[in-house]
Amino acid sequence: SQTIHQWPATLVQPVGSPLSLECTVEGTSNPNLYWYRQAAGRGLQLLFYSVGIGQISSEVPQNLSASRPQDRQFILSSKKLLLSDSGFYLCAWTRRGHQESGYTFGSGTRLTVV
Amino acid sequence: AQKVTQAQTEISVVEKEDVTLDCVYETRDTTYYLFWYKQPPSGELVFLIRRNSFDEQNEISGRYSWNFQKSTSSFNFTITASQVVDSAVYFCALSDSFYSGGGADGLTFGKGTHLIIQP
């Protein structure tokens, strides 16, 4: 069966420090991968999606970047965190070409920038 | 552009009452999928249901039921005989652009409805 792993679960980082959040999927190949952010008390905003290795699409301009170095690995990064980067980050995957089958989410990373 | 509106920011009911969460969507595509997710306090998103645009049959799963009406672009969610464990934030979401954009560009979420079930 397919599983999605996301870590760390919580993170407290100072302003100006770098960030690296990792997401991996097991039990499938060629998934579409997504990073979402949920700011406190708000809905989920799509940040990045990827349909293949090295292919990244950004939905909103921001302080963050994403990379997909391997088929089932998706990384969210920042060189210098801002206070506004605080939030709950969720990784998700879906079967390529079969988005109708549904999206499965990781357990999330709660990031607090201080 | 697609849009999902959940007008109810927060709903509070007493246990055993029925409650309906509203969801209205906008899309120009004829093929699309609608989803409901539950987000308990722990934060993870739990999948509840998926419905495609060609299937307007209502669905019932235990105490949960969904009413899909294309004529009003609504996909409402009803919990019958609510329980404290139903307390969570519920999100409605839309996935479209299957023919124009391949549908790879993720889900569009509503802002969520915070449901509080009081004992």
Side-chain angles (χ1 to χ4, degrees):
Chain A
S1 64
Q2 302 92 356
T3 56
I4 180 169
H5 303 280
Q6 195 180 334
W7 66 93
T10 58
L11 194 57
V12 180
Q13 291 283 97
V15 169
S17 63
L19 173 74
S20 181
L21 302 181
E22 190 162 340
C23 171
T24 59
V25 180
E26 294 179 357
T28 189
S29 57
N30 303 317
N32 287 346
L33 297 172
Y34 306 85
W35 279 111
Y36 284 86
R37 176 172 61 197
Q38 184 178 24
R42 301 180 68 179
L44 290 103
Q45 180 186 39
L46 179 64
L47 301 176
F48 301 95
Y49 69 92
S50 171
V51 298
I53 296 174
Q55 300 179 59
I56 308 295
S57 297
S58 175
E59 288 294 297
V60 293
Q62 57 206 316
N63 184 44
L64 302 169
S65 62
S67 62
R68 186 169 177 174
Q70 300 180 43
D71 181 46
R72 289 169 289 179
Q73 183 185 30
F74 204 23
I75 297 172
L76 183 69
S77 304
S78 173
K79 292 182 179 178
K80 289 185 177 181
L81 283 169
L82 306 172
L83 287 174
S84 58
D85 291 323
S86 292
F88 189 55
Y89 289 82
L90 285 158
C91 181
W93 79 275
T94 189
R95 288 176 61 201
R96 187 174 305 169
H98 294 279
Q99 290 78 232
E100 72 281 5
S101 63
Y103 294 72
T104 303
F105 287 82
S107 54
T109 296
R110 202 165 298 279
L111 172 66
T112 304
V113 183
V114 296
Chain B
Q2 62 270 52
K3 184 179 178 181
V4 176
T5 302
Q6 294 179 257
Q8 305 149 310
T9 304
E10 184 174 290
I11 300 174
S12 181
V13 300
V14 177
E15 198 172 22
K16 298 184 182 176
E17 286 184 15
D18 299 347
V19 58
T20 295
L21 309 181
D22 297 333
C23 173
V24 175
Y25 62 92
E26 295 177 28
T27 177
R28 283 186 279 185
D29 286 351
T30 56
T31 301
Y32 52 89
Y33 288 81
L34 295 163
F35 301 80
W36 275 95
Y37 284 87
K38 175 182 180 180
Q39 187 180 42
S42 56
E44 78 272 22
L45 283 177
V46 178
F47 168 79
L48 296 178
I49 190 172
R50 173 185 63 249
R51 172 67 73 224
N52 75 57
S53 52
F54 299 108
D55 182 0
E56 290 192 67
Q57 277 192 324
N58 292 329
E59 182 157 338
I60 298 175
S61 176
R63 297 184 296 106
Y64 295 171
S65 62
W66 291 269
N67 183 2
F68 176 32
Q69 292 196 347
K70 280 180 83 169
S71 60
T72 56
S73 297
S74 64
F75 186 41
N76 297 338
F77 172 31
T78 297
I79 301 175
T80 303
S82 60
Q83 300 176 1
V84 172
V85 293
D86 295 326
S87 297
V89 179
Y90 290 86
F91 290 97
C92 181
L94 167 72
S95 180
D96 62 4
S97 306
F98 287 94
Y99 296 115
S100 60
D105 51 347
L107 291 168
T108 297
F109 283 88
K111 293 190 182 301
T113 297
H114 185 197
L115 178 62
I116 301 168
I117 310 297
Q118 300 179 20

